Amino acid sequence: MARRLPGLFHRPRPIEPSPGQESVWDYPRPPRVEPRPERVVVRLGGQVIADTTHTVRVLETSHPPVYYLPLDAFPAGVLVPVEGTSFCEFKGEAHYFDVVAGGVAGPRAGWTYPEPARGFEALSTRVALYPGRMDSCEIDGEQVTAQEGDFYGGWITAKIVGPFKGGPGTAGW
């Protein structure tokens, strides 16, 4: 249930996390980068395109975590740089990749911050992926659910509770 303020946006009521879960409403703003030890496996076109335990994730209020994998975890030719950038007020200028494997291409399915803002230096040698544009993304063997919408690239697991920004009607959160 959301609380409505007359004439203003509404903030949803956070789901109470169970033991072992995290609420995205306890994440900070501005966001935080943290290293993670989990095994992350990504598949596209029927092929494993990344398998690593050297990830970081970005945590931001109301957003599922975005996992960033080392650029060198991907085989040559999988990440194809494309034109165009976007700007994040916290992280800086993002550059994009088409992700290609097994005869399948995920247009602009990955991004990186080659010269990130202070505090986000760990992202300079890493790439994030939209999980909904991959065959699968797994964290420690659990299939990730993609965050709704086409703007954020959050990775949702059973350990993360929302509600999550990204879907219809959430722009004002």
Side-chain angles (χ1 to χ4, degrees), residues 43-45 49 78-82 96-111 128-130 132-135:
R43 292 178 179 82
L44 180 66
I49 61 168
V78 168
L79 300 175
V80 180
V82 294
Y96 291 85
F97 298 101
D98 286 349
V99 183
V100 181
V104 174
R108 296 176 65 86
W111 69 96
L129 303 169
Y130 287 105
R133 298 182 191 175
M134 302 294 107
D135 291 348

Side-chain angles (χ1 to χ4, degrees), residues 63-122:
H63 301 274
V66 176
Y67 278 75
Y68 286 77
L69 291 68
L71 287 163
D72 64 9
F74 294 84
V78 168
L79 300 175
V80 180
V82 294
E83 294 293 318
T85 62
S86 63
F87 185 78
C88 170
E89 65 183 306
F90 302 112
K91 297 181 285 291
E93 188 176 76
H95 295 246
Y96 291 85
F97 298 101
D98 286 349
V99 183
V100 181
V104 174
R108 296 176 65 86
W111 69 96
T112 190
Y113 292 92
E115 297 178 23
R118 187 174 43 187
F120 294 90
E121 294 87 356

Side-chain angles (χ1 to χ4, degrees), residues 63-67 111 129-132 144-148 152-156:
H63 301 274
V66 176
Y67 278 75
W111 69 96
L129 303 169
Y130 287 105
V144 168
T145 300
Q147 180 177 8
E148 277 191 82
Y152 307 108
W155 294 35
I156 302 170

Side-chain angles (χ1 to χ4, degrees), residues 22 26-28 31-38 53-60 65-69 91 119-123 126 160:
E22 301 172 358
D26 293 331
Y27 292 165
R32 176 178 75 233
V33 177
E34 66 177 28
R36 298 301 295 181
E38 298 106 336
T53 57
H54 299 287
T55 63
V56 298
R57 66 180 188 165
V58 173
L59 306 179
E60 181 176 357
V66 176
Y67 278 75
Y68 286 77
L69 291 68
K91 297 181 285 291
F120 294 90
E121 294 87 356
L123 305 183
R126 298 175 184 280
I160 309 296

Side-chain angles (χ1 to χ4, degrees), residues 4 10 12 147-152 163-173:
R4 295 201 178 267
H10 69 281
Q147 180 177 8
E148 277 191 82
D150 199 31
F151 186 72
Y152 307 108
F164 309 111
K165 187 170 184 171
T170 65
W173 291 1

